[in-house]
């Protein structure tokens, strides 16, 4: 019978069955319990001895391989002292576990141990017997290990519990001390949060509830017995928001900007500072709130711009880590204004060590005006240029700079300005000009000559040296030597820059030699020497030379100034006279000025009458000399003459006139004609454009019936002259002639005493309308014609009746 439920009671019955059917059951009288058959268990296995001491030893084993069909109820431990024959039971009651500490051993004795298992069927055979174990305390230095999760440190958030677990070994069992930052943890000092270390053989646990940031640090467990000391440490980090940044200061304060600086918080909250948040506030208005300047600052410095000059500000800065933002650090009030100004201008710089392509520029440090000078800017300018060029690309922090790349032969000046935190200041005055050239040698000898002598002096002239030594000639010295004397004496107290010199303090009639030396920056060069010259007053006939500008003649406009310069020489000095041919000089208007060898005649506000040939004469004891030039004074022409009007018609007339007596010194270019209504005083515009060349003109576009007057003005290069006398009045009208004869007379009717006569008007009316007709008749046979009209009456039309025939 299979598939029974263990420990259940069963009844069984059986009956026989054939083809007819089943018979009666046969049934057990008592129930049967479904259970395996029971027997004592097998002996325990793998018995081992641990941690022997002088009083005890710990045994461990494994269960029997077969429990005998019934649950093991416990184990019996037995010991045998060395030298004894009888096994003693160690436990009063069955041991339900697989380990047991045998106590009550005698120190120094050796023991063997064995274990039996017991179930409901009985007690097993004993296990294998252990080797002899001596009851003595072991010698083992202490050891301690932190739990695996603490090996790399422990990190918790503020408020979480800190749990530190350590495993300990050592014999004898060591004492345990917990420390934080090398100070003993005393639970009684902070009873509310620290739990006393839980001590269990082989382990120790320290816990801190409701952790705060101050709990972070190095926790150490120290274990100690007679054989040594062991320690294990764990870095505990309690994460919290960082503390406030510290040492908030301002740098580079300006009127509209400032640099804010601070230092990181003393406590970063146990986590790296991710960024800083900087805010500002208008401190002059209480109602104004904080405004974020930047919330992504990685460094402890920020340049704040767009401040309003004169306004007072507060700043504050927060530090943020991955837990959040900590409390702020608030600055002192700050007013936006410049604390200093740019430096003063340096003094005029000095230029030294000049070569063909470089110069050394030096200067003095100026007043910095409150901010240290951070460097200098140097500019150069070629002396003939107007443009200053920057020498250095970066600030120079010395008081000199070597300027290279100059062009040989060009002259340069330099200027310098200093810069501080407020910016560059004003430039210094420019340096003295220096020419880019290599260091120079003394110049060569000048080339002197005796220009003149007198009874008391010698005039010396010279040409500069052919070689200037590579430097500018700065001056000359003149020396003299009396013939027969070996010594030379210098005539010039200091170098002179002109190329001539009058040597005085000489004796009349004596012979002298003269020499000239040139100086440059390198010193005085060798002399140039003259031949001996005798000190005497020479005699020279006069010479007169007009200025080249007036030799061909002078042409001026009336009102301008006449100037005739001349040079007069001669020894002794000649007497000078000026004259005008064909006339006399107007002494009230002519100014003559004689200075040295120069003589000049001047006439201001020249008049037409001042034209003519001017002559200058110079006379001395050696002779006389003259020179002259023609002066033309141009003025406007005089009025035209004899203006006459002829050939007058209704729309035109013909004018004639004579040329002016004086053309003003230049050819008449044309004439201008003006007209006016004789009944009006004001002249009209010119009747012609100024282009009348001749002495006659046909005036057109007159208004018929208007009486006109005319006048004429001549024009030359100097302008339009005064007008002629006005013409006699002239009436604009055509000339009148007698009309032509009527034609085709015809008798239209007749009676015994009268005739009706008709005719046609004349073809020409003579320039005037026909006023009437005169009719004449002749008796047949007579040669006389008689007037038919009565008195002075005229027949107004081309017909009439002749009565009284």
């Amino acid at each position: 019978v299979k598939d029974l439920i263990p420990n259940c009671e069963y009844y069984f019955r059986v009956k026989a069955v054939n083809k007819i059917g089943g018979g009666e059951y046969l049934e057990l009288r008592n129930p049967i319990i479904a259970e395996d058959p029971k027997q004592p268990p097998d002996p325990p296995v793998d018995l081992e001895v641990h941690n022997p001491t002088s009083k005890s030893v710990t045994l461990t084993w494994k269960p029997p391989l077969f429990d005998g069909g019934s649950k093991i109820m416990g184990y019996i431990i037995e010991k045998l002292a060395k030298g004894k024959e009888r096994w003693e039971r160690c436990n009063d009651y069955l041991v339900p576990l697989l380990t047991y500490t045998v106590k009550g051993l005698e120190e120094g004795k050796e023991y063997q141990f064995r274990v039996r298992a017991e179930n409901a069927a009985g007690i097993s055979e004993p296990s294998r017997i252990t080797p002899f174990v001596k009851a003595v305390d072991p010698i083992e230095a202490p050891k301690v290990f932190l739990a695996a999760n603490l090996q790399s440190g422990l990190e918790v958030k503020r408020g979480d519990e800190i749990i530190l677990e350590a495993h300990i070994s050592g014999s004898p069992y060591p004492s345990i001390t917990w420390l934080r930052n090398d100070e003993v943890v005393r639970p009684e000092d902070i009873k509310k949060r620290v739990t006393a270390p839980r001590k269990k053989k082989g382990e120790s646990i320290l816990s801190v509830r409701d952790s705060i940031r101050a709990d972070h640090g190095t926790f150490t467990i120290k274990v100690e017995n007679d054989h040594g000391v062991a320690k294990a440490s764990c870095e505990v980090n309690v994460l919290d928001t960082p503390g406030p940044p510290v040492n908030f200061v301002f740098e580079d304060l300006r009127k509209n900007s400032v640099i804010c600086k601070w230092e990181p918080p003393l406590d970063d909250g146990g986590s790296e500072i991710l960024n800083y948040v900087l805010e500002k506030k208008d401190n002059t208005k209480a109602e104004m709130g904080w405004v974020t300047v930047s919330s992504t600052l990685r460094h402890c410095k920020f340049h704040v711009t767009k401040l309003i000059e004169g306004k007072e500000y507060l700043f504050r800065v927060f530090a943020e880590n991955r837990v959040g933002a900590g409390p702020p650090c608030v600055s002192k009030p700050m007013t936006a204004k410049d604390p200093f100004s740019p430096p003063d201008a340096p003094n005029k710089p000095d230029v030294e060590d000049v070569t063909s392509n470089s110069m050394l520029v030096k200067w003095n440090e100026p007043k910095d005006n409150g901010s240290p000078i951070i460097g200098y800017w140097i500019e150069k300018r070629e002396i003939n240029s107007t443009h200053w060029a920057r020498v250095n690309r970066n600030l120079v922090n010395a008081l000199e700079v070597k300027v290279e790349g100059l062009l040989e032969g060009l002259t340069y000046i330099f200027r310098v300005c200093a810069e501080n935190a407020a910016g560059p200041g004003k430039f210094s005055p420019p340096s003295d000009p220096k020419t880019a050239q290599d260091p120079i040698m003394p110049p060569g000898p000048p080339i002197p000559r005796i220009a003149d002598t007198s009874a008391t002096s010698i005039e010396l002239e010279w040409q500069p040296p052919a070689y200037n030594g590579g430097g500018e000639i700065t001056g000359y010295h003149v020396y003299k030597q009396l013939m027969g004397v070996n010594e030379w004496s210098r005539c010039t107290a200091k170098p002179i820059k002109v190329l001539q010199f009058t040597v005085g303090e000489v004796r009349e009639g004596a012979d002298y030699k003269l020499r000239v030396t040139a100086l440059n920056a390198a010193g005085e060069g060798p002399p140039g020497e003259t031949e001996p010259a005798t000190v005497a007053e020479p005699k020279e006939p006069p010479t007169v030379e007009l200025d080249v500008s007036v030799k061909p003649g002078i042409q001026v406009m009336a009102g301008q100034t006449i100037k005739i310069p001349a040079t007069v020489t001669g020894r002794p000095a000649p007497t000078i006279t000026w004259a005008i041919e064909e006339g006399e000089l107007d002494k009230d208007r002519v100014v003559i000025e004689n200075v040295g060898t120069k003589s000049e005649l001047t006439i201001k506000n020249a008049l037409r009458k001042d034209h003519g040939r001017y002559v200058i004469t110079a006379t001395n004891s050696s002779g006389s000399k003259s020179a002259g030039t023609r002066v033309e004074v141009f003025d406007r022409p005089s009025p035209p003459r004899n203006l006459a009007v002829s050939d007058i018609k209704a729309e035109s007339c013909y004018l004639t006139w004579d040329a002016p007596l004086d053309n003003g010194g230049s050819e008449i270019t044309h004439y201008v004609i003006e007209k006016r209504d004789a009944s009006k005083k004001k002249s009209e515009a010119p009747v012609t454009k100024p282009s009348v060349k001749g002495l006659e003109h046909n005036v057109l576009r007159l208004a018929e019936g208007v009486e006109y007057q005319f006048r004429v003005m001549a024009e030359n290069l100097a302008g339009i002259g005064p007008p002629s006398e006005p013409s006699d009045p002239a009436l604009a009208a055509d000339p009148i002639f007698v009309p032509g004869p009527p034609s085709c007379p015809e008798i239209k009717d007749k009676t015994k005493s009268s005739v009706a006569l008709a005719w046609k008007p004349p073809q020409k009316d003579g320039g005037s309308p026909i006023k009437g007709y005169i009719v004449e008749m002749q008796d047949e046979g007579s040669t006389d014609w008689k007037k038919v009209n009565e008195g002075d009456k005229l027949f107004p039309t081309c017909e009439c009746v002749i009565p009284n025939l």
Side-chain angles (χ1 to χ4, degrees), residues 351-373:
V351 181
E352 301 175 356
D353 299 343
V354 178
T355 70
S356 60
N357 61 3
S358 68
M359 298 181 189
L360 181 65
V361 181
K362 295 183 176 181
W363 58 91
N364 293 327
E365 182 177 2
K367 184 179 179 182
D368 62 15
N369 290 332
S371 176
I373 292 174

Side-chain angles (χ1 to χ4, degrees), residues 296-327:
T296 58
L297 299 179
R298 298 287 297 172
H299 304 288
C300 298
K301 181 177 181 180
F302 187 71
H303 189 195
V304 182
T305 59
K306 298 180 181 179
L307 301 181
I308 299 174
E309 185 176 5
K311 183 166 287 189
E312 186 178 79
Y313 291 91
L314 281 178
F315 290 86
R316 67 181 184 184
V317 63
F318 304 83
E320 282 188 341
N321 60 12
R322 56 192 172 99
V323 177

